[in-house]
């Protein structure tokens, strides 16, 4: 006699647990019915794939994840995931800074650029300060390298080089320009590749361009200070090569990085 399997019990869906995987209430409200249905299907499949045993701990975002995707801010706080504005058909750098940057990172880069501007730095240094940490919205790990690659097709070689190397230089003091690493981090020993990057940069003709990012890379925000992007519009216009198709649609080797920020809720 052939033994047929017993009738399977329906999968029980914990509504609260499912909604929690989607983000805030605003995110859920902004989703189309089709998107919610797809998300529910993926969630049910994931439940079937779970091994039997004690319930798993809630998933958390890895520290390397960009802030726009729920990763922690530099202070360790996780931003609330809210519905995002739709970018224009041909989005510009200013559109991304305004609508695809978390408040803490946006405030940080604007304050850094403003400090450089007030102290009379060259325009390319001001631009480098404005751009140096924008990539933290996308990726935190090796953000100097990621940030330089993201900006490389649109800025001078010197600006992208400075952005790349500021990550390593920030761990090492330079008394000649009054730069000291923050007291709380003085016991930290950088990884060998960071040290090698610093030693290489120290001998480079553009060393000081990267170093000045660290000088204006404020580790403590000025309380209550809000900096608008307006004072930097002309500098962006002169030194950032905005593609006519819009960032993410120009076919550059980094277009996918901008599209990822444009459409962070795309499932695949």
């Amino acid at each position: 006699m052939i033994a047929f399997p017993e009738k399977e019990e329906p999968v029980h869906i914990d509504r609260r647990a499912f909604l929690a995987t989607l983000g805030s209430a605003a995110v859920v409200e902004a989703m189309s019915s089709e998107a919610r249905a797809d998300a529910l299907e993926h969630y049910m499949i994931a439940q079937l794939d779970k091994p039997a045993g004690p319930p798993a701990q809630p998933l958390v975002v890895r520290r390397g994840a960009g802030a726009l995707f729920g990763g922690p801010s530099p202070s360790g706080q996780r931003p609330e995931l809210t519905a995002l504005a739709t970018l224009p058909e041909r989005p510009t750098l200013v559109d991304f800074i305004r609508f695809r940057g978390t408040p803490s990172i946006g405030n940080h880069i604007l304050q850094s650029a403003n400090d450089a501007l007030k102290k009379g730095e060259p325009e390319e240094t001001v631009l480098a300060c404005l751009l140096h940490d924008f990539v933290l919205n996308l990726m935190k790990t090796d953000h100097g390298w990621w940030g330089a690659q993201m900006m490389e097709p649109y800025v001078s070689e010197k600006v992208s080089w400075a952005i790349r190397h500021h990550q390593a230089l920030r761990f090492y003091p330079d008394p000649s320009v009054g730069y000291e690493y923050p007291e709380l981090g003085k016991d930290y020993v950088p990884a060998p590749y960071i040290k090698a990057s610093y030693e290489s940069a120290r001998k480079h003709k553009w060393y000081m361009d990267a170093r000045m990012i660290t000088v204006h890379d404020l580790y403590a925000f000025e309380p209550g200070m809000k900096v608008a992007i307006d004072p930097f519009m002309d500098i962006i216009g002169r030194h950032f090569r905005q593609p006519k198709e819009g960032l993410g649609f120009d076919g550059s080797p980094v277009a996918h990085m901008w599209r990822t920020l444009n459409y962070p809720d795309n499932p695949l």
Side-chain angles (χ1 to χ4, degrees), residues 229-251:
I229 197 171
D230 302 74
F232 310 106
M233 299 292 281
D234 288 344
I235 293 176
I236 291 171
R238 284 190 286 270
H239 299 285
F240 189 90
R241 296 185 287 271
Q242 173 65 42
K244 64 181 185 301
E245 303 91 342
L247 290 167
F249 306 105
D250 57 333

Side-chain angles (χ1 to χ4, degrees), residues 41-85:
E41 182 177 0
H42 286 295
Y43 180 81
M44 293 174 66
I45 291 172
Q47 303 311 300
L48 292 174
D49 287 341
K50 281 186 176 179
Q57 293 298 314
L59 295 177
V60 296
V61 178
R62 292 188 184 277
R63 290 188 61 191
L68 195 69
F69 300 85
S73 70
S75 65
Q77 299 297 314
R78 295 188 186 278
E80 180 184 359
L81 296 182
T82 59
L84 297 170

Side-chain angles (χ1 to χ4, degrees), residues 162-189:
I163 292 172
R164 179 176 293 108
H165 289 88
H166 91 276
Q167 178 184 338
L169 266 56
R170 67 196 178 116
F171 295 111
Y172 298 91
D174 186 339
S176 74
V177 291
Y179 177 76
E180 294 288 338
Y181 189 59
E183 189 69 32
L184 290 176
K186 285 189 174 180
D187 293 333
Y188 175 71
V189 178

Side-chain angles (χ1 to χ4, degrees), residues 195-214:
K195 183 179 180 182
S197 179
Y198 162 72
E199 291 174 345
S200 174
R202 195 71 178 83
K203 305 169 186 174
H204 198 278
K205 64 180 179 179
W206 290 331
Y207 162 74
M208 196 54 68
D209 295 278
R211 171 54 72 193
M212 295 316 292
I213 294 179
T214 70

Side-chain angles (χ1 to χ4, degrees), residues 16-248:
R16 288 187 177 181
F18 165 62
L19 292 177
T21 66
L22 302 180
S24 67
V27 171
V28 176
E29 285 296 322
M31 294 175 70
S32 66
S33 299
E34 291 79 10
R36 283 197 291 266
D38 285 344
L40 178 59
E41 182 177 0
H42 286 295
Y43 180 81
M44 293 174 66
I45 291 172
Q47 303 311 300
L48 292 174
D49 287 341
K50 281 186 176 179
Q57 293 298 314
L59 295 177
V60 296
V61 178
R62 292 188 184 277
R63 290 188 61 191
L68 195 69
F69 300 85
S73 70
S75 65
Q77 299 297 314
R78 295 188 186 278
E80 180 184 359
L81 296 182
T82 59
L84 297 170
T86 300
L87 293 185
E89 184 179 353
R90 295 179 177 85
T92 66
L93 173 66
V94 174
D95 293 324
F96 276 93
I97 291 176
R98 282 177 169 161
F99 303 117
R100 287 299 184 272
T102 55
S104 61
I105 293 170
N107 193 29
H108 170 66
I109 59 178
L110 285 167
Q111 283 201 29
S112 297
N114 189 57
D115 190 60
L117 187 64
K118 287 194 304 182
K119 293 177 179 175
E121 299 289 359
E123 289 190 350
E124 284 190 310
T125 299
V126 174
L127 181 67
C129 289
L130 179 65
L131 301 179
H132 78 285
D133 275 353
F134 178 75
V135 77
L136 291 176
N137 294 292
L138 175 67
M139 171 62 69
K140 291 188 172 65
T141 306
D142 271 349
H143 75 284
W145 280 270
W146 277 80
Q149 182 181 8
M150 188 177 191
M151 303 299 172
E152 208 156 22
Y154 315 109
V155 299
S156 70
E157 185 181 355
K158 180 165 66 174
V159 169
S160 63
W161 190 95
I163 292 172
R164 179 176 293 108
H165 289 88
H166 91 276
Q167 178 184 338
L169 266 56
R170 67 196 178 116
F171 295 111
Y172 298 91
D174 186 339
S176 74
V177 291
Y179 177 76
E180 294 288 338
Y181 189 59
E183 189 69 32
L184 290 176
K186 285 189 174 180
D187 293 333
Y188 175 71
V189 178
Y193 78 94
I194 294 289
K195 183 179 180 182
S197 179
Y198 162 72
E199 291 174 345
S200 174
R202 195 71 178 83
K203 305 169 186 174
H204 198 278
K205 64 180 179 179
W206 290 331
Y207 162 74
M208 196 54 68
D209 295 278
R211 171 54 72 193
M212 295 316 292
I213 294 179
T214 70
V215 169
H216 302 291
D217 194 6
L218 309 178
Y219 284 89
F221 298 127
E222 188 172 332
M225 181 180 181
K226 296 293 182 182
V227 179
I229 197 171
D230 302 74
F232 310 106
M233 299 292 281
D234 288 344
I235 293 176
I236 291 171
R238 284 190 286 270
H239 299 285
F240 189 90
R241 296 185 287 271
Q242 173 65 42
K244 64 181 185 301
E245 303 91 342
L247 290 167

